[in-house]
Amino acid sequence: MTLHAFNRRTLAEDLVRVRRPDDRERYAASQRQARIDPNPHQIDAVIFALRRLREGGCILADEVGLGKTIEAGSVIAQSRAEGFQRVLLIVPKSLIGQWQNELANLFGIEAHDDHTNFFEPGVYLVGREFAGGERGAALLDAVLPFDLVVIDEAHEIF
């Protein structure tokens, strides 16, 4: 089903109306704090991802430059507004600073890149090399599963 641009914009503003069976209502906290003006394809991707998370996850695979970081940030912000406590982002080491800046500037989300404590609530950024290495894998295995895991450039892992 293709929606008119106006309807897509309305969906972006009313993302709170997408409901989980166990939720009374989604709140607009993620949209109020964000400093973005999402494009229609990004709105579609966020709605798709939020629905698919309940079913085990999804892959967002837009072309380069179409805003996957905006999409992922929107999903993280909405998930946190819904009560997700611990989020892990696995990214190329060279992009850790960029992810920190964009999450902070666009979504008001502070992402931690220290690798000492993954037990506390928060958004954690780790490099792929750390997550895939013996020390990192051992630290990540020692904690309860994260509420949400985002892997940037996941195609390079295989």
Side-chain angles (χ1 to χ4, degrees):
M1 170 173 71
T2 303
L3 296 175
H4 186 273
F6 174 80
N7 298 96
R8 289 182 181 178
R9 181 65 192 167
T10 302
L11 284 173
E13 293 170 1
D14 292 339
L15 210 60
V16 296
R17 297 185 201 273
V18 179
R19 296 175 187 236
R20 294 187 332 197
D22 58 337
D23 272 349
R24 282 179 277 157
E25 183 175 336
R26 285 187 172 182
Y27 298 99
S30 64
Q31 293 296 315
R32 281 194 303 267
Q33 289 186 351
R35 294 178 192 99
I36 60 169
D37 184 19
N39 292 316
H41 73 277
Q42 293 168 323
I43 297 163
D44 291 342
V46 171
I47 291 170
F48 167 79
L50 290 170
R51 288 182 178 155
R52 292 290 302 181
L53 287 178
R54 294 189 305 268
E55 300 167 8
C58 70
I59 295 174
L60 300 176
D62 290 341
E63 293 293 325
V64 173
L66 289 182
K68 289 179 295 297
T69 303
I70 298 287
E71 296 166 3
S74 296
V75 170
I76 293 166
Q78 184 64 35
S79 297
R80 287 176 44 92
E82 293 178 5
F84 284 32
Q85 295 291 310
R86 294 173 44 251
V87 177
L88 177 66
L89 283 97
I90 302 172
V91 305
K93 187 176 181 179
S94 62
L95 297 179
I96 288 176
Q98 179 181 336
W99 268 96
Q100 276 183 310
N101 289 337
E102 290 191 16
L103 287 173
N105 294 333
L106 299 178
F107 299 97
I109 296 172
E110 180 184 353
H112 308 282
D113 67 344
D114 61 357
H115 302 140
T116 57
N117 183 4
F118 296 106
F119 293 95
E120 299 295 320
V123 176
Y124 297 95
L125 266 165
V126 300
R128 282 194 315 238
E129 300 77 13
F130 173 81
E134 285 184 36
R135 180 175 166 266
L139 284 171
L140 293 171
D141 270 349
V143 298
L144 292 172
F146 287 86
D147 297 315
L148 176 66
V149 176
V150 175
I151 304 172
D152 188 19
E153 303 290 340
H155 64 280
E156 293 182 7
I157 293 175
F158 300 103

Short mmCIF file of all heavy atoms in Angstrom, two decimals, residues 23-68:
data_model
loop_
_atom_site.label_atom_id
_atom_site.label_comp_id
_atom_site.label_asym_id
_atom_site.label_seq_id
_atom_site.Cartn_x
_atom_site.Cartn_y
_atom_site.Cartn_z
N ASP A 23 0.77 -2.72 25.34
CA ASP A 23 0.88 -1.30 25.65
C ASP A 23 -0.49 -0.65 25.64
O ASP A 23 -1.34 -0.99 24.84
CB ASP A 23 1.71 -0.55 24.59
CG ASP A 23 3.18 -0.56 24.91
OD1 ASP A 23 3.54 -0.96 26.03
OD2 ASP A 23 3.95 -0.19 24.03
N ARG A 24 -0.67 0.28 26.55
CA ARG A 24 -1.91 1.07 26.51
C ARG A 24 -1.82 2.10 25.41
O ARG A 24 -2.77 2.33 24.70
CB ARG A 24 -2.16 1.73 27.85
CG ARG A 24 -2.72 0.79 28.89
CD ARG A 24 -2.93 1.48 30.17
NE ARG A 24 -1.64 1.49 30.87
CZ ARG A 24 -1.31 2.33 31.79
NH1 ARG A 24 -2.13 3.25 32.18
NH2 ARG A 24 -0.13 2.27 32.37
N GLU A 25 -0.66 2.74 25.30
CA GLU A 25 -0.51 3.79 24.30
C GLU A 25 0.97 4.14 24.18
O GLU A 25 1.69 4.11 25.15
CB GLU A 25 -1.29 5.02 24.76
CG GLU A 25 -1.28 6.17 23.78
CD GLU A 25 -2.17 7.31 24.25
OE1 GLU A 25 -3.09 7.06 25.03
OE2 GLU A 25 -1.91 8.42 23.83
N ARG A 26 1.41 4.44 22.99
CA ARG A 26 2.77 4.91 22.82
C ARG A 26 2.77 6.42 22.95
O ARG A 26 1.88 7.09 22.44
CB ARG A 26 3.32 4.53 21.45
CG ARG A 26 3.69 3.07 21.35
CD ARG A 26 4.37 2.77 20.06
NE ARG A 26 4.88 1.41 20.10
CZ ARG A 26 5.55 0.86 19.13
NH1 ARG A 26 5.80 1.51 18.04
NH2 ARG A 26 5.98 -0.37 19.25
N TYR A 27 3.77 6.93 23.63
CA TYR A 27 3.85 8.36 23.85
C TYR A 27 4.81 9.00 22.86
O TYR A 27 5.63 8.34 22.26
CB TYR A 27 4.28 8.65 25.30
CG TYR A 27 3.27 8.12 26.27
CD1 TYR A 27 3.47 6.91 26.91
CD2 TYR A 27 2.09 8.80 26.50
CE1 TYR A 27 2.52 6.41 27.78
CE2 TYR A 27 1.15 8.30 27.37
CZ TYR A 27 1.37 7.11 28.01
OH TYR A 27 0.42 6.62 28.86
N ALA A 28 4.71 10.29 22.70
CA ALA A 28 5.48 11.01 21.69
C ALA A 28 6.83 11.48 22.19
O ALA A 28 7.43 12.35 21.59
CB ALA A 28 4.66 12.20 21.19
N ALA A 29 7.34 10.92 23.25
CA ALA A 29 8.60 11.37 23.82
C ALA A 29 9.72 11.33 22.80
O ALA A 29 10.54 12.25 22.72
CB ALA A 29 8.96 10.52 25.04
N SER A 30 9.78 10.27 22.03
CA SER A 30 10.88 10.17 21.07
C SER A 30 10.78 11.24 20.00
O SER A 30 11.79 11.77 19.54
CB SER A 30 10.89 8.79 20.42
OG SER A 30 9.71 8.58 19.67
N GLN A 31 9.59 11.59 19.59
CA GLN A 31 9.43 12.62 18.55
C GLN A 31 9.62 14.02 19.11
O GLN A 31 10.12 14.89 18.42
CB GLN A 31 8.05 12.50 17.91
CG GLN A 31 7.86 11.23 17.11
CD GLN A 31 8.80 11.16 15.92
OE1 GLN A 31 8.97 12.12 15.20
NE2 GLN A 31 9.45 10.02 15.76
N ARG A 32 9.24 14.25 20.35
CA ARG A 32 9.39 15.58 20.95
C ARG A 32 10.85 15.95 21.12
O ARG A 32 11.22 17.10 20.95
CB ARG A 32 8.69 15.64 22.31
CG ARG A 32 7.20 15.81 22.21
CD ARG A 32 6.62 16.21 23.55
NE ARG A 32 6.93 15.26 24.60
CZ ARG A 32 6.14 14.24 24.95
NH1 ARG A 32 5.01 14.05 24.33
NH2 ARG A 32 6.48 13.42 25.91
N GLN A 33 11.70 15.00 21.48
CA GLN A 33 13.10 15.30 21.73
C GLN A 33 13.92 15.31 20.45
O GLN A 33 14.99 15.89 20.42
CB GLN A 33 13.70 14.29 22.69
CG GLN A 33 13.19 14.47 24.11
CD GLN A 33 13.92 13.56 25.07
OE1 GLN A 33 14.67 12.69 24.68
NE2 GLN A 33 13.68 13.76 26.35
N ALA A 34 13.45 14.67 19.41
CA ALA A 34 14.24 14.56 18.18
C ALA A 34 14.28 15.89 17.44
O ALA A 34 13.33 16.66 17.44
CB ALA A 34 13.65 13.48 17.29
N ARG A 35 15.41 16.13 16.82
CA ARG A 35 15.59 17.33 16.00
C ARG A 35 15.73 16.91 14.53
O ARG A 35 16.70 17.23 13.88
CB ARG A 35 16.84 18.07 16.45
CG ARG A 35 16.74 18.63 17.83
CD ARG A 35 18.04 19.32 18.24
NE ARG A 35 18.04 19.59 19.64
CZ ARG A 35 18.65 18.84 20.55
NH1 ARG A 35 19.33 17.78 20.18
NH2 ARG A 35 18.59 19.15 21.82
N ILE A 36 14.74 16.17 14.08
CA ILE A 36 14.78 15.67 12.70
C ILE A 36 13.46 15.98 12.01
O ILE A 36 12.45 16.22 12.66
CB ILE A 36 15.03 14.14 12.65
CG1 ILE A 36 13.92 13.39 13.39
CG2 ILE A 36 16.41 13.80 13.20
CD1 ILE A 36 13.94 11.90 13.17
N ASP A 37 13.51 15.97 10.71
CA ASP A 37 12.31 16.08 9.89
C ASP A 37 12.37 14.88 8.94
O ASP A 37 12.94 14.97 7.85
CB ASP A 37 12.30 17.39 9.12
CG ASP A 37 11.02 17.58 8.32
OD1 ASP A 37 10.03 16.91 8.64
OD2 ASP A 37 11.03 18.41 7.39
N PRO A 38 11.83 13.74 9.37
CA PRO A 38 12.02 12.51 8.59
C PRO A 38 11.35 12.56 7.22
O PRO A 38 10.31 13.18 7.04
CB PRO A 38 11.39 11.43 9.47
CG PRO A 38 10.45 12.15 10.36
CD PRO A 38 10.99 13.54 10.54
N ASN A 39 12.00 11.91 6.28
CA ASN A 39 11.45 11.74 4.95
C ASN A 39 10.45 10.59 4.97
O ASN A 39 10.51 9.72 5.84
CB ASN A 39 12.56 11.45 3.94
CG ASN A 39 13.47 12.64 3.75
OD1 ASN A 39 13.00 13.76 3.61
ND2 ASN A 39 14.76 12.40 3.75
N PRO A 40 9.54 10.55 4.00
CA PRO A 40 8.53 9.48 3.98
C PRO A 40 9.10 8.07 4.03
O PRO A 40 8.58 7.22 4.74
CB PRO A 40 7.78 9.74 2.67
CG PRO A 40 7.91 11.21 2.46
CD PRO A 40 9.30 11.55 2.95
N HIS A 41 10.20 7.81 3.29
CA HIS A 41 10.76 6.46 3.32
C HIS A 41 11.34 6.12 4.69
O HIS A 41 11.33 4.97 5.10
CB HIS A 41 11.81 6.27 2.22
CG HIS A 41 13.11 6.98 2.49
ND1 HIS A 41 13.30 8.30 2.20
CD2 HIS A 41 14.26 6.54 3.06
CE1 HIS A 41 14.52 8.66 2.55
NE2 HIS A 41 15.12 7.61 3.08
N GLN A 42 11.81 7.13 5.42
CA GLN A 42 12.32 6.89 6.76
C GLN A 42 11.19 6.56 7.72
O GLN A 42 11.32 5.70 8.59
CB GLN A 42 13.11 8.10 7.26
CG GLN A 42 14.39 8.32 6.48
CD GLN A 42 15.02 9.66 6.75
OE1 GLN A 42 14.32 10.66 6.93
NE2 GLN A 42 16.34 9.68 6.78
N ILE A 43 10.07 7.24 7.56
CA ILE A 43 8.90 6.96 8.39
C ILE A 43 8.44 5.53 8.16
O ILE A 43 8.18 4.78 9.12
CB ILE A 43 7.76 7.94 8.05
CG1 ILE A 43 8.20 9.36 8.39
CG2 ILE A 43 6.47 7.57 8.78
CD1 ILE A 43 7.35 10.43 7.74
N ASP A 44 8.37 5.13 6.90
CA ASP A 44 7.98 3.75 6.58
C ASP A 44 8.94 2.75 7.22
O ASP A 44 8.52 1.73 7.77
CB ASP A 44 7.97 3.53 5.06
CG ASP A 44 6.85 4.29 4.37
OD1 ASP A 44 5.89 4.71 5.04
OD2 ASP A 44 6.96 4.47 3.13
N ALA A 45 10.24 3.04 7.15
CA ALA A 45 11.24 2.12 7.71
C ALA A 45 11.11 2.02 9.22
O ALA A 45 11.21 0.92 9.78
CB ALA A 45 12.65 2.58 7.33
N VAL A 46 10.85 3.13 9.90
CA VAL A 46 10.71 3.11 11.35
C VAL A 46 9.47 2.31 11.76
O VAL A 46 9.53 1.47 12.66
CB VAL A 46 10.67 4.54 11.93
CG1 VAL A 46 10.29 4.54 13.40
CG2 VAL A 46 12.01 5.23 11.71
N ILE A 47 8.38 2.55 11.09
CA ILE A 47 7.15 1.80 11.39
C ILE A 47 7.36 0.31 11.14
O ILE A 47 6.99 -0.53 11.95
CB ILE A 47 5.96 2.36 10.59
CG1 ILE A 47 5.61 3.76 11.10
CG2 ILE A 47 4.75 1.43 10.69
CD1 ILE A 47 4.62 4.50 10.23
N PHE A 48 8.00 -0.01 10.02
CA PHE A 48 8.33 -1.41 9.70
C PHE A 48 9.18 -2.02 10.81
O PHE A 48 8.89 -3.10 11.32
CB PHE A 48 9.05 -1.47 8.36
CG PHE A 48 9.69 -2.80 8.07
CD1 PHE A 48 8.93 -3.87 7.62
CD2 PHE A 48 11.06 -2.99 8.25
CE1 PHE A 48 9.51 -5.09 7.35
CE2 PHE A 48 11.65 -4.21 7.98
CZ PHE A 48 10.88 -5.27 7.54
N ALA A 49 10.24 -1.31 11.21
CA ALA A 49 11.16 -1.84 12.22
C ALA A 49 10.46 -2.03 13.56
O ALA A 49 10.65 -3.06 14.21
CB ALA A 49 12.36 -0.91 12.37
N LEU A 50 9.66 -1.07 13.98
CA LEU A 50 8.98 -1.19 15.27
C LEU A 50 8.04 -2.38 15.29
O LEU A 50 7.92 -3.08 16.29
CB LEU A 50 8.23 0.10 15.60
CG LEU A 50 9.11 1.30 15.94
CD1 LEU A 50 8.28 2.57 16.02
CD2 LEU A 50 9.88 1.07 17.23
N ARG A 51 7.38 -2.62 14.18
CA ARG A 51 6.49 -3.79 14.10
C ARG A 51 7.29 -5.09 14.09
O ARG A 51 6.92 -6.07 14.72
CB ARG A 51 5.59 -3.69 12.88
CG ARG A 51 4.53 -2.63 13.04
CD ARG A 51 3.62 -2.56 11.84
NE ARG A 51 2.59 -1.55 12.07
CZ ARG A 51 1.95 -0.92 11.11
NH1 ARG A 51 2.22 -1.18 9.84
NH2 ARG A 51 1.04 -0.02 11.40
N ARG A 52 8.39 -5.10 13.35
CA ARG A 52 9.20 -6.31 13.22
C ARG A 52 9.98 -6.66 14.48
O ARG A 52 10.31 -7.82 14.70
CB ARG A 52 10.17 -6.18 12.04
CG ARG A 52 9.50 -6.16 10.68
CD ARG A 52 8.93 -7.46 10.33
NE ARG A 52 9.99 -8.47 10.36
CZ ARG A 52 9.84 -9.73 10.07
NH1 ARG A 52 8.68 -10.18 9.72
NH2 ARG A 52 10.86 -10.57 10.14
N LEU A 53 10.28 -5.67 15.31
CA LEU A 53 11.02 -5.95 16.54
C LEU A 53 10.27 -6.95 17.41
O LEU A 53 10.89 -7.79 18.07
CB LEU A 53 11.30 -4.67 17.33
CG LEU A 53 12.36 -3.75 16.74
CD1 LEU A 53 12.50 -2.49 17.57
CD2 LEU A 53 13.69 -4.47 16.62
N ARG A 54 8.96 -6.87 17.41
CA ARG A 54 8.16 -7.81 18.20
C ARG A 54 8.27 -9.23 17.65
O ARG A 54 8.00 -10.19 18.34
CB ARG A 54 6.70 -7.37 18.21
CG ARG A 54 6.46 -6.08 18.94
CD ARG A 54 4.98 -5.81 19.10
NE ARG A 54 4.23 -5.80 17.86
CZ ARG A 54 4.00 -4.72 17.12
NH1 ARG A 54 4.45 -3.56 17.51
NH2 ARG A 54 3.29 -4.78 16.02
N GLU A 55 8.63 -9.33 16.38
CA GLU A 55 8.70 -10.64 15.73
C GLU A 55 10.12 -11.17 15.62
O GLU A 55 10.35 -12.16 14.94
CB GLU A 55 8.06 -10.53 14.34
CG GLU A 55 6.61 -10.09 14.39
CD GLU A 55 6.09 -9.67 13.03
OE1 GLU A 55 6.80 -9.86 12.02
OE2 GLU A 55 4.97 -9.15 12.98
N GLY A 56 11.06 -10.50 16.25
CA GLY A 56 12.42 -11.01 16.24
C GLY A 56 13.46 -10.10 15.62
O GLY A 56 14.64 -10.37 15.71
N GLY A 57 13.07 -9.02 14.98
CA GLY A 57 14.04 -8.08 14.45
C GLY A 57 13.88 -7.83 12.97
O GLY A 57 12.97 -8.35 12.32
N CYS A 58 14.77 -7.02 12.45
CA CYS A 58 14.70 -6.67 11.04
C CYS A 58 16.03 -6.13 10.56
O CYS A 58 16.93 -5.88 11.35
CB CYS A 58 13.60 -5.64 10.79
SG CYS A 58 13.98 -4.01 11.46
N ILE A 59 16.11 -5.93 9.27
CA ILE A 59 17.28 -5.32 8.63
C ILE A 59 16.80 -4.08 7.90
O ILE A 59 15.84 -4.14 7.13
CB ILE A 59 17.94 -6.30 7.64
CG1 ILE A 59 18.50 -7.51 8.38
CG2 ILE A 59 19.03 -5.59 6.84
CD1 ILE A 59 19.03 -8.60 7.46
N LEU A 60 17.46 -2.96 8.16
CA LEU A 60 17.20 -1.73 7.41
C LEU A 60 18.35 -1.59 6.43
O LEU A 60 19.49 -1.42 6.83
CB LEU A 60 17.12 -0.52 8.34
CG LEU A 60 16.02 -0.57 9.40
CD1 LEU A 60 16.11 0.64 10.32
CD2 LEU A 60 14.66 -0.64 8.75
N ALA A 61 18.06 -1.66 5.15
CA ALA A 61 19.12 -1.70 4.15
C ALA A 61 18.87 -0.73 3.00
O ALA A 61 18.82 -1.12 1.85
CB ALA A 61 19.27 -3.12 3.62
N ASP A 62 18.71 0.54 3.32
CA ASP A 62 18.55 1.56 2.28
C ASP A 62 19.87 1.78 1.55
O ASP A 62 20.93 1.36 2.01
CB ASP A 62 18.12 2.90 2.90
CG ASP A 62 16.71 2.87 3.43
OD1 ASP A 62 15.95 1.97 3.03
OD2 ASP A 62 16.38 3.73 4.26
N GLU A 63 19.80 2.51 0.45
CA GLU A 63 21.01 2.91 -0.26
C GLU A 63 21.82 3.86 0.60
O GLU A 63 21.31 4.48 1.53
CB GLU A 63 20.63 3.61 -1.58
CG GLU A 63 19.97 2.70 -2.60
CD GLU A 63 20.90 1.65 -3.14
OE1 GLU A 63 22.12 1.93 -3.29
OE2 GLU A 63 20.43 0.54 -3.41
N VAL A 64 23.08 4.01 0.27
CA VAL A 64 23.97 4.92 0.98
C VAL A 64 23.40 6.34 0.93
O VAL A 64 22.95 6.80 -0.12
CB VAL A 64 25.38 4.89 0.35
CG1 VAL A 64 26.28 5.95 0.96
CG2 VAL A 64 25.99 3.51 0.51
N GLY A 65 23.39 7.00 2.06
CA GLY A 65 22.99 8.40 2.12
C GLY A 65 21.50 8.66 2.27
O GLY A 65 21.07 9.81 2.26
N LEU A 66 20.69 7.61 2.42
CA LEU A 66 19.25 7.82 2.54
C LEU A 66 18.75 7.88 3.98
O LEU A 66 17.56 7.98 4.22
CB LEU A 66 18.49 6.73 1.77
CG LEU A 66 18.59 6.81 0.25
CD1 LEU A 66 17.76 5.71 -0.40
CD2 LEU A 66 18.12 8.17 -0.25
N GLY A 67 19.66 7.81 4.93
CA GLY A 67 19.26 8.08 6.30
C GLY A 67 19.02 6.89 7.20
O GLY A 67 18.14 6.93 8.04
N LYS A 68 19.82 5.84 7.05
CA LYS A 68 19.66 4.70 7.95
C LYS A 68 19.96 5.08 9.40
O LYS A 68 19.35 4.56 10.32
CB LYS A 68 20.56 3.54 7.51
CG LYS A 68 20.09 2.85 6.22
CD LYS A 68 21.01 1.75 5.81
CE LYS A 68 22.39 2.22 5.43
NZ LYS A 68 22.48 3.09 4.26
#
